[in-house]
Each structure stands twice: as structure tokens, then as C-alpha cells.
Amino acid sequence: RFQGFFGPTVTLVPVPGSAPRRDAGSLWVAEKIATELRRAGLGVTVWSTLQRTIVVPKSAWAARGERPDVELHVRSMEVTDRVPPTGQLVLVDDVVTKGRTMLAAATVLTDALPGVEIRAFAALRTMGLVPDIATYTDPVVGEIVWTGADADRRP
């Protein structure tokens, strides 16, 4: 179902949380997921190159309409290592809602590493509280696109 997303040439890139990382031992959920995907043989390495430089409001706690936009996410991230492992990059995150953070992470990576192929994986997709949770946990391949004003996740 996820052909082209995982394999022996894929580098897994965790998407940073909403704040700069305090120390190497602090919890980074996306990095933990990426590490487990690598352990399961779904990637060759975990490359934790994307880092937050400034705090952005945590989307999960922000009211509708107050979540950080793509531009703020882009300004708040940097690539710390510009020599990527060879192969395809797969961004890894725990939850994707509209896709703003994923789109920003892909933008920052693309700006730093022109021509690199990037895909994204999230353990869960949601659009807020919904009665039919199964439709948001069933595996699906889609896309996140820039509409000119905001990110749009399909489906």
C-alpha cells in the first residue's frame, strides 16, 4: 500500500515538535516513530536534521484559526546538516491535520537540498474531532498541496 515510501534506500526524517529541542534525551515523538520504522526495516537510517529554531504555538492546543500557518513553520525550522544520506527522504510525524507542518518541513528541506525527493508519513491523520475515527486511521496515500493561501491535505 505504501510502495515507494519505505525500503532499503529510504532515509527517515523526523518532523520537529513545536519548540526547539532542549537536549538529545528529550522526548521527540516523530523521532521515536522514525526509529521504530527503521528498526522494522522500513528505512536505512534516521536523519534528525530538521530542527526548530523558535517556538511556535502547538497546533493540538490552538483554537481553530489560531494554528501556526505554513510561513511561520518555515521561518521556525532549519536544516542542521546539508549532506544528506543518499536515497529518498521520508518525513515522519505522529499526526497530520491540514498538513501545514509537513508542507513547511518539505519546503525547508527542498530549499536546503534542491532536487531531493521527499515524501511524508504520519501515523494518524485527522481533521479534528470526528465521529467516524476509522476513516482517519485506515491507511491512505494522498498529497499535501499549497493552494496559494494554505496547505490542503487530500484526503
Side-chain angles (χ1 to χ4, degrees):
R1 186 171 272 190
F2 294 105
Q3 192 173 35
F5 279 81
F6 302 111
T9 62
V10 170
T11 294
L12 303 163
V13 182
V15 173
S18 60
R21 198 167 184 196
R22 291 188 191 139
D23 60 64
S26 62
L27 178 62
W28 182 358
V29 175
E31 187 177 56
K32 297 287 185 194
I33 294 169
T35 298
E36 291 307 314
L37 290 170
R38 183 195 52 77
R39 244 183 239 166
L42 298 174
V44 68
T45 191
V46 174
W47 189 42
S48 301
T49 189
L50 278 175
Q51 300 290 320
R52 286 279 182 193
T53 56
I54 60 171
V55 176
V56 297
K58 191 165 180 61
S59 294
W61 299 335
R64 190 176 185 94
E66 293 180 14
R67 293 185 172 136
D69 61 18
V70 174
E71 192 175 306
L72 177 58
H73 281 298
V74 167
R75 288 193 319 265
S76 73
M77 288 185 217
E78 71 177 9
V79 173
T80 60
D81 180 359
R82 293 183 184 255
V83 182
T86 59
Q88 176 185 324
L89 302 181
V90 174
L91 292 167
V92 176
D93 209 352
D94 54 348
V95 177
V96 62
T97 304
K98 283 195 65 82
R100 291 175 180 140
T101 307
M102 286 279 204
L103 185 58
T107 299
V108 171
L109 276 172
T110 300
D111 288 349
L113 308 163
V116 70
E117 182 183 349
I118 301 170
R119 292 189 177 208
F121 169 83
L124 180 72
R125 63 190 166 99
T126 184
M127 290 302 275
L129 298 174
V130 294
D132 184 12
I133 192 67
T135 62
Y136 294 94
T137 58
D138 287 342
V140 64
V141 174
E143 62 183 356
I144 300 169
V145 297
W146 178 249
T147 65
D150 200 358
D152 183 29
R153 193 197 80 220
R154 302 170 188 165

